[in-house]
Amino acid sequence: MLHHSVFFRFKEGTSEQESSQFLAAAKQLAYIPGVLHFICLRQTSTKNNFTHGLAMQFAQEEDYAAYTIHSAHQQFITDSWIPRVADFLEIDYTVLPG
Amino acid sequence: MLHHSVFFRFKEGTSEQESSQFLAAAKQLAYIPGVLHFICLRQTSTKNNFTHGLAMQFAQEEDYAAYTIHSAHQQFITDSWIPRVADFLEIDYTVLPG
């Protein structure tokens, strides 16, 4: 299983309503084929500058690749991500055997 | 549920054997009281410089606080973390309601 996550913070001046609208739009990414266990999250560590995140899983690389170029994902980046996000970090992982 | 994770990379020159020993030591953190769903992971995104990570969950803040100061955690930091880790980022989160 491939774990994909992105941690981010909103641009200064983003209102509560705008961040709620952003998260509502983000939740639609869960319906892109291949996306599993989609969550929106609040980042709580004081040791980095991110306030939120999105995380999901993919069963295989092909699903991840298809998600990346899916029109709904691209639309989200154009309509929501670029206007609202100030900084972000992508982190992906696979679980090492026990 | 509180999700705690740390992503890191080893110091240059760390051998395969040394990184395996590090991960074996890290796995012992799973036995500290309050630590749930402990995993070691391989960070796979090319968009950051981290190669590995550790992640776990806590049912409540008190368990996280107790883990942080637990002697086995402190010992791991002294004996394994500081000698081997070049750079790291801690990320914690709670899942936002659906």
Side-chain angles (χ1 to χ4, degrees), chain B residues 18-95:
Chain B
E18 285 165 340
S19 65
S20 293
Q21 284 168 343
F22 176 97
L23 292 171
K27 281 172 190 165
Q28 300 306 307
L29 298 172
Y31 300 104
I32 295 176
V35 172
L36 303 172
H37 309 298
F38 181 90
I39 55 168
C40 296
L41 58 91
R42 183 171 296 280
Q43 201 293 126
T44 56
S45 174
T46 57
K47 297 178 183 171
N48 68 64
N49 288 319
F50 305 116
T51 58
H52 290 79
L54 309 175
M56 65 204 76
Q57 298 175 34
F58 299 101
Q60 52 190 357
E61 283 289 353
E62 291 78 359
D63 294 342
Y64 189 179
Y67 164 81
T68 302
I69 60 169
H70 193 283
S71 59
H73 180 225
Q74 293 294 326
Q75 193 83 36
F76 173 74
I77 292 171
T78 305
D79 294 351
S80 300
W81 190 266
I82 291 169
R84 293 279 173 250
V85 171
D87 191 22
F88 69 97
L89 179 70
E90 288 185 64
I91 292 185
D92 296 343
Y93 67 86
T94 54
V95 178

Side-chain angles (χ1 to χ4, degrees), chain A residues 7-98:
Chain A
F7 302 94
F8 61 93
R9 67 166 186 276
F10 290 114
K11 289 181 181 172
E12 213 168 324
T14 300
S15 70
E16 269 303 306
Q17 191 186 4
E18 286 165 340
S19 65
S20 294
Q21 284 169 344
F22 176 97
L23 293 171
K27 282 173 191 166
Q28 300 306 307
L29 299 171
Y31 300 105
I32 296 177
V35 172
L36 304 173
H37 308 299
F38 181 90
I39 55 168
C40 296
L41 59 90
R42 182 171 296 280
Q43 202 292 126
T44 57
S45 173
T46 56
K47 297 177 183 173
N48 68 63
N49 288 319
F50 305 116
T51 59
H52 291 79
L54 310 175
M56 65 204 74
Q57 297 174 37
F58 299 101
Q60 50 189 359
E61 283 288 352
E62 291 78 359
D63 294 342
Y64 188 1
Y67 164 82
T68 302
I69 60 169
H70 193 282
S71 60
H73 181 223
Q74 294 294 326
Q75 193 82 35
F76 172 74
I77 291 171
T78 305
D79 294 350
S80 300
W81 191 267
I82 291 169
R84 294 279 173 252
V85 170
D87 190 22
F88 68 97
L89 179 70
E90 287 185 63
I91 292 184
D92 296 343
Y93 68 86
T94 54
V95 178
L96 288 171

